[in-house]
Amino acid sequence: MAIPSKFKVFTNRLFGNFKNTETVEATRQALEKEYDEFNDFQNSDELKRYLELEEWVKSGEHKRVKAELSRLTFKNSEEQKTEKEFKKLSKSKSVKKFLKNNGPETPEVKRYLDLKKTVESDEFKKRKSYLLSKNKFEQSEAYTKLKEYNELKQSDRIKWYFSLLKDSKKFDEFRRWRLEFYDDFDSNNIDSQKWLTKFFWGDALLNKNYSFSNDLQNYTDKNFEIENSILRIVTRKETSEGIAWDKKFGFVPKNFHYTSGVINTGHVLRLKEGKVEAKVRVSCNPGVTHAFYLVGNTVLPEIDVFIKTDSNPSSLAGAYFTPKGNGKISKSISKIGGVKCNQEFYILGLEWNKNSIVWSINGTPYKVEKNTTPDIPMYLVLASSVNSKVDDSSLPAHFEIDWVRCYLPQQL
């Protein structure tokens, strides 16, 4: 995993040097398509034939054939000897008498007749013409193979393939990662094989959802919408009854004045290292928090791919929360500006291994931290919540998710 310098990520964060989302996605899709075509061509009959011919050319067989054919002439050939014998016999007295119908068929005549049949045959004429020709190599199978090789070598596809072999790093990003999990939300409902629509422990212990004691929203299964392959987590102003987790009293009933939604992969996907990305857009409502984070079986550590806690439409934040060991929480939060998070979609990403964690937006890193909690299997959570006073007139609030993808590292 390439770790950018802290100065680099600081300047990215400070000046908002982020590429356009549509451009980034189009570039990725084009590169991925080219990578697929590269792999397909690598197994094609065309490339296989070219490599076979290349080995044949390297062997020098065509040069040997050309040299051999250059020494092949009509002069002193068996064909010339046959023709000379035939002409000589045609001048003999016995053959002349025989041809005038007043001579016997002597052995000499029989030989003449045999030779006549030979030299007048199409096969002999063709062979003589070939031996007399100046382009015998051009008539050979070796020339045909050499011509085929040169044509393939000049083909656009072969040139393209070998140019990519020279540009060995072009597809490294695809070679580094194996797609382990994805959802493009192209069905009418949330895929239960991929997502729980409640917190993992709520599903495991209660078979129902819960919120936390400081939350003002109740999580329900009704706060989701899918339209045009985009999942919306909707936060609404509405009263409902639910359950809240209280550190002192455990799970307790609670009346809520807002509702929202949460999804997670705790039942199907947990990673100790890898790369996760989501293409998202969020409403910027005071009091409403949107977050995409990773967490394990305990509350901490938590890695926020992004968290949006304020109403400023031009900022987002990445965060890392870890236990200090004395009951306190260590926090590392980095804000980025220069975005339009309520107008445009952004690709928010996180790449991590046992040593480091790198946050990115549209492929550009903006935060780097040492991983102080390695080897903890973590799953994905995407949620919206209400934690403080809300301007009810600004609701409903939306957390829109176009797609989510998770990758595992693989050896290059």
Side-chain angles (χ1 to χ4, degrees), residues 217 219 233 235 260-262 288-291 382-386 398-399:
Q217 88 294 330
Y219 285 123
I233 299 176
T235 303
S260 194
V262 57
V288 178
T289 295
H290 308 288
L382 296 97
S384 296
S385 60
V386 181
H398 301 104
F399 180 0

Side-chain angles (χ1 to χ4, degrees), residues 130 133-140:
Y130 173 72
S133 68
K134 303 296 184 181
N135 62 343
K136 287 186 282 294
F137 178 67
E138 286 74 8
Q139 300 174 58
S140 67

Side-chain angles (χ1 to χ4, degrees), residues 70-81:
S70 69
R71 296 190 295 269
L72 187 63
T73 63
F74 183 68
K75 186 178 181 179
N76 298 324
S77 67
E78 291 300 318
E79 287 76 11
Q80 187 187 45
K81 292 176 183 178

Side-chain angles (χ1 to χ4, degrees), residues 244-277:
W245 168 255
D246 185 281
K247 289 183 179 180
K248 184 176 181 180
F249 300 106
F251 292 107
V252 294
K254 183 176 178 179
N255 292 318
F256 295 91
H257 299 289
Y258 302 92
T259 60
S260 194
V262 57
I263 58 173
N264 79 85
T265 64
H267 63 315
V268 293
L269 178 76
R270 295 184 182 224
L271 306 176
K272 289 185 178 181
E273 62 177 339
K275 181 172 75 169
V276 297
E277 289 184 322

